[in-house]
Amino acid sequence: MKSALVIVPTYNESENIVSLVQRVRAAAPDVDLLVVDDSSPDGTGDIADSLAALDSNVHVLHRTTKEGLGAAYLAGFAWGIEAGYDRLVEMDADGSHHPEELPGMLALLNDHDLVLGSRWVPGGSVENWPLHRLALSRGGNLYTRLALGIRIKDATGGFRAFRSDALQTIDLTSVASHGYCFQVDLLWRALERGLRVVETPITFTERVAGESKMSGSIVRESLSRVTRWGLERRVREVRELVVRHRRLPSVRATQVAQLR
Ligand SMILES: Nc1nc2c(ncn2[C@@H]2O[C@H](COP(=O)(O)OP(=O)(O)OP(=O)(O)O)[C@@H](O)[C@H]2O)c(=O)[nH]1
Ligand SMILES: [Mg+2]
């Protein structure tokens, strides 16, 4: 496989971006980086520009307004696909995801389309999270598993690697989720498309600097969308059952006719 691009969305990550970029470059020297900054008031975009000026493997995409993590990733994917990268990685800027785990994840793309860094499979872990964040992640993932009927243990995580060709088979134009629901949205589309998805254990470390963008509205968005997708799935299953049931007698009649 050719080149990989790590896409890092940023909003007010001036305290984190330098060390994150350095860690990615050290852990995976062949991999490029794209910082997607939504005009952070704290100057993250300017810092990223300075990093890019010193290193031709580092790129920056400046966006004029803060439109959430989902929109930033979609812009990053479009940039990476246009530039011809054949593997695209999602990674937070706050140090929660460990760049040192990147090579192992990229290797798994040799026989998978989507590799999910997972906190909740054996070997995965979370460091320094308060109890309410643990409960939110565990509860959110349990609800997602039950509503969507999937086996994925960590559907909300944001450390992931895609094969670009597989990602391009998903309709990205209709993805409208903003917060971490974006991650469930993409995964759900990938599973429905029949992509080869695998979870691999990661260690997730709570950010030590900067502020979390997690909010009540992000949780509500996720809850309402996952519930809707789950209901749509059930309706679809019932419809398929009814259609199959209706077809049965006519199939039997044809078979009987053929036997005669
Ligand atoms: N470009 C862009 N990046 C964003 C936006 N919102 C969040 N991010 C970035 O997305 C990544 C994840 O955001 P976090 O605030 O760490 O959210 P989180 O990891 O779900 O929450 P914590 O675990 O509390 O840190 C970080 O790199 C953020 O800077 C946004 O509106 N635009
Ligand atoms: Mg974070």
Side-chain angles (χ1 to χ4, degrees), residues 8-13 36-40 63 65-73 91-94 96-97 119 129 133 156 178 180 204-207 211-214 218:
V8 184
T10 54
Y11 193 76
N12 286 348
E13 300 288 1
V36 185
D37 186 68
D38 282 3
S39 297
S40 298
R63 289 156 47 80
T65 45
K66 176 172 172 14
E67 288 180 316
L69 172 125
Y73 269 128
M91 190 188 286
D92 286 358
D94 56 6
S96 288
H97 303 143
R119 297 160 288 190
W129 245 9
R133 285 304 301 269
T156 57
H178 296 284
Y180 71 81
F204 179 99
T205 308
E206 170 67 325
R207 63 160 76 233
E211 276 175 26
S212 168
K213 282 96 209 166
M214 174 62 77
I218 283 178

